């Protein structure tokens, strides 16, 4: 684990926060900011720009949990939530919101290091999956638009698929654009001109 991680600790209870501080310091994590309340939370988190967020909610009500889940969706940082009590719906909402670790009744200083490690690892793995999924969706969309543009060229010029693709590639090279961008222009023009 990197010891220069900037940790944000959100906890209204000083005694509970002290347990997390102790665990973080014992792990060599000294760069810790502490927020004692959740007022204007998103803005304050963006201003502090932490690498990891630890939230200790003791016994959160539904409104507090929803606020934390909203923050999780907005800030896109590794987040570990410590709660004393929970139910399956809260756990499900936390996972849907992107919380990396949801620890029920597990606030012990000696566990903090391993929880931070797991939180960062799980967040990075999840972010990688999201990037790969976005890339796959883009590649699929590009493939569809290129196929559609090839079809238009084949019909209008009475040429084969390989020739249509060669035309797209040559136009892309000449204009310094991606083949998908040229293909999109052809499809748009075809739709406009009927």
């Amino acid at each position: 684990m990197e010891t220069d991680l900037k940790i944000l600790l959100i906890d209204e209870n000083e005694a509970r926060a002290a347990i997390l501080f102790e665990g973080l310091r014992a792990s060599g994590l000294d760069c810790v900011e502490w927020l004692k309340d959740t007022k204007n939370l998103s803005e304050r988190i963006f201003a502090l720009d932490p690498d990891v967020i630890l939230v200790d909610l003791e016994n959160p009500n539904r409104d507090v949990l929803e606020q934390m889940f909203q923050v999780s969706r907005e800030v896109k940082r590794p987040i570990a939530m410590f709660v004393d009590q929970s139910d399956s719906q809260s756990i499900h909402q936390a996972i849907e919101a992107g919380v990396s670790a949801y620890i029920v009744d597990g606030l012990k200083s000696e566990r903090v290091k391993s929880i931070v490690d797991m939180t960062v690892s799980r967040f990075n793995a999840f972010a990688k999956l999201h990037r790969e999924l976005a890339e796959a969706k883009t590649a699929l969309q590009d493939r569809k638009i290129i196929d559609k543009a090839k079809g238009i060229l084949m019909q209008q010029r009475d040429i084969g698929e390989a020739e249509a693709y060669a035309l797209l590639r040559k136009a892309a090279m000449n204009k310094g654009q991606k083949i998908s961008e040229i293909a999109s222009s052809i499809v748009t023009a075809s739709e406009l001109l009927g």
Side-chain angles (χ1 to χ4, degrees), residues 81-93:
M81 273 188 178
F82 295 86
V83 297
D84 284 350
Q85 297 175 2
S86 187
D87 53 55
S88 59
Q89 183 179 0
S90 297
I91 293 170
H92 177 74
Q93 287 176 325

Side-chain angles (χ1 to χ4, degrees), residues 63-192:
D63 290 342
V64 171
L65 276 176
E66 182 53 42
Q67 181 188 20
M68 289 300 157
F69 298 154
Q70 181 68 31
V71 166
S72 175
R73 285 187 285 267
E74 290 174 1
V75 301
K76 301 199 184 311
R77 297 285 194 284
I79 297 176
M81 273 188 178
F82 295 86
V83 297
D84 284 350
Q85 297 175 2
S86 187
D87 53 55
S88 59
Q89 183 179 0
S90 297
I91 293 170
H92 177 74
Q93 287 176 325
I95 296 203
E96 288 290 315
V99 170
S100 303
Y102 192 86
I103 296 95
V104 180
D105 195 24
L107 182 58
K108 295 177 182 163
S109 64
E110 63 271 16
R111 294 185 62 206
V112 173
K113 179 185 181 303
S114 61
I115 289 171
V116 170
D117 284 346
M118 179 196 63
T119 301
V120 172
S121 294
R122 186 175 287 174
F123 176 82
N124 289 338
F126 194 67
K128 182 181 174 193
L129 282 175
H130 265 273
R131 278 194 308 276
E132 290 173 351
L133 179 61
E135 289 169 3
K137 285 181 177 178
T138 299
L140 182 61
Q141 187 61 32
D142 286 352
R143 173 61 46 206
K144 286 180 180 177
I145 202 82
I146 289 170
D147 286 344
K148 196 168 184 177
K150 282 191 305 187
I152 292 168
L153 290 174
M154 290 165 64
Q155 185 180 15
Q156 289 181 347
R157 296 193 175 206
D158 194 26
I159 58 177
E161 184 176 352
E163 290 173 285
Y165 185 76
L167 282 174
L168 287 170
R169 188 175 58 205
K170 184 177 177 184
M173 289 176 63
N174 289 342
K175 294 192 178 284
Q177 294 180 317
K178 293 180 179 179
I179 293 175
S180 61
E181 293 171 339
I182 297 295
S184 181
S185 297
I186 290 171
V187 170
T188 300
S190 176
E191 290 171 351
L192 288 174

